[in-house]
Amino acid sequence: ELKVEQNPLFLSMQEGKNYTIYCNYSTTSDRLYWYRQDPGKSLESLFVLLSNGAVKQEGRLMASLDTKARLSTLHITAAVHDLSATYFCAEQGAQKLVFGQGTRLTINP
Amino acid sequence: KAGVTQTPRYLIKTRGQQVTLSCSPISGHRSVSWYQQTPGQGLQFLFEYFSETQRNKGNFPGRFSGRQFSNSRSEMNVSTLELGDSALYLCASSLAPRAAEAFFGQGTRLTVV
């Protein structure tokens, strides 16, 4: 059964700091997604990682994929309050997206 | 370009009732998937439809059903509602199954009392 695990599940950090969210998945899937969700809102697509070694960056967020280690990371650089949200990674299974538990990120001034 | 539209946005129903939720995908997208999000179970896959056919179904009881119309719009139905069905129901639209990217609607917040 496909399983995706994120850590940490909760993260409180100060503005200006750097941190990384980790996403471990269970199969040899070569497709990994990162989504952002604000409270009460839908899922916003951040990154689609399609191959081993893929690295994508958008603003203060950078995502990478290591299919051999079955690991994806979402790195936050010099965090700002606007990045406070819940972040999900999801693995593309044969039939569906399998989501991690989500990481609730709170960035304090 | 219009996004994924889900209606209604909010719904309150009583136990035992049934409910129908609607999802209109992005124009040109033919694949629609449904997910249930709850605080306890997280995001769980319900079904996937493509070209009016259900391709896959998640591990949910038969009370949960769905369909897709020729214009790719999809509906899901939950009969004999239970308190545990309270959740945010999200639909995702993509060009085809396993397309590189899926776009989510705003969701329908269902509360069962």
Side-chain angles (χ1 to χ4, degrees):
Chain A
E1 184 179 321
L2 299 180
K3 191 167 185 179
V4 179
E5 292 188 340
Q6 290 181 233
N7 74 85
L9 299 184
F10 298 93
L11 179 55
S12 181
M13 53 193 290
Q14 284 188 309
E15 281 190 327
K17 300 291 187 183
N18 304 333
Y19 211 82
T20 300
I21 299 171
Y22 298 89
C23 173
N24 289 92
Y25 59 97
S26 62
T27 75
T28 55
S29 174
D30 60 356
R31 192 181 299 181
L32 198 289
Y33 300 85
W34 284 96
Y35 290 92
R36 168 180 171 151
Q37 187 176 40
D38 292 296
K41 300 293 180 64
S42 186
L43 297 171
E44 175 191 353
S45 179
L46 293 174
F47 301 108
V48 181
L49 302 168
L50 298 176
S51 61
N52 186 41
V55 177
K56 289 195 174 179
Q57 183 163 5
E58 181 72 37
R60 301 175 187 275
L61 300 178
M62 183 173 71
S64 65
L65 180 64
D66 181 343
T67 57
K68 293 177 183 176
R70 299 180 186 174
L71 171 69
S72 181
T73 60
L74 181 66
H75 186 74
I76 303 144
T77 302
V80 293
H81 179 68
D82 286 353
L83 291 178
S84 296
T86 299
Y87 292 86
F88 291 91
C89 64
E91 174 186 14
Q92 176 68 65
Q95 300 177 340
K96 59 188 178 182
L97 286 175
V98 178
F99 287 85
Q101 313 96 307
T103 296
R104 185 177 296 179
L105 174 63
T106 303
I107 298 169
N108 305 303
Chain B
K1 187 176 184 180
V4 183
T5 303
Q6 290 188 245
T7 57
R9 291 289 310 280
Y10 303 93
L11 208 46
I12 299 175
K13 289 287 188 179
T14 304
R15 273 182 300 174
Q17 287 187 311
Q18 75 165 22
V19 68
T20 299
L21 312 181
S22 177
C23 172
S24 293
I26 292 169
S27 178
H29 285 197
R30 295 169 60 199
S31 179
V32 173
S33 298
W34 289 89
Y35 291 83
Q36 181 197 62
Q37 186 177 26
T38 59
Q41 299 299 316
L43 281 150
Q44 293 188 289
F45 170 76
L46 281 158
F47 343 86
E48 179 191 25
Y49 287 90
F50 177 69
S51 294
E52 302 178 66
T53 301
Q54 184 182 93
R55 294 187 73 248
N56 301 299
K57 188 176 194 300
N59 189 24
F60 279 81
R63 300 185 295 107
F64 290 81
S65 63
R67 57 179 175 170
Q68 186 180 35
F69 301 94
S70 58
N71 62 357
S72 295
R73 188 177 72 86
S74 177
E75 288 182 348
M76 67 164 280
N77 184 278
V78 187
S79 62
T80 320
L81 284 165
E82 300 177 359
L83 295 179
D85 297 332
S86 296
L88 179 66
Y89 290 87
L90 294 165
C91 95
S93 158
S94 59
L95 284 168
R98 288 185 57 80
E101 198 159 11
F103 298 88
F104 283 82
Q106 292 289 87
T108 294
R109 172 76 63 184
L110 171 65
T111 302
V112 182
V113 296

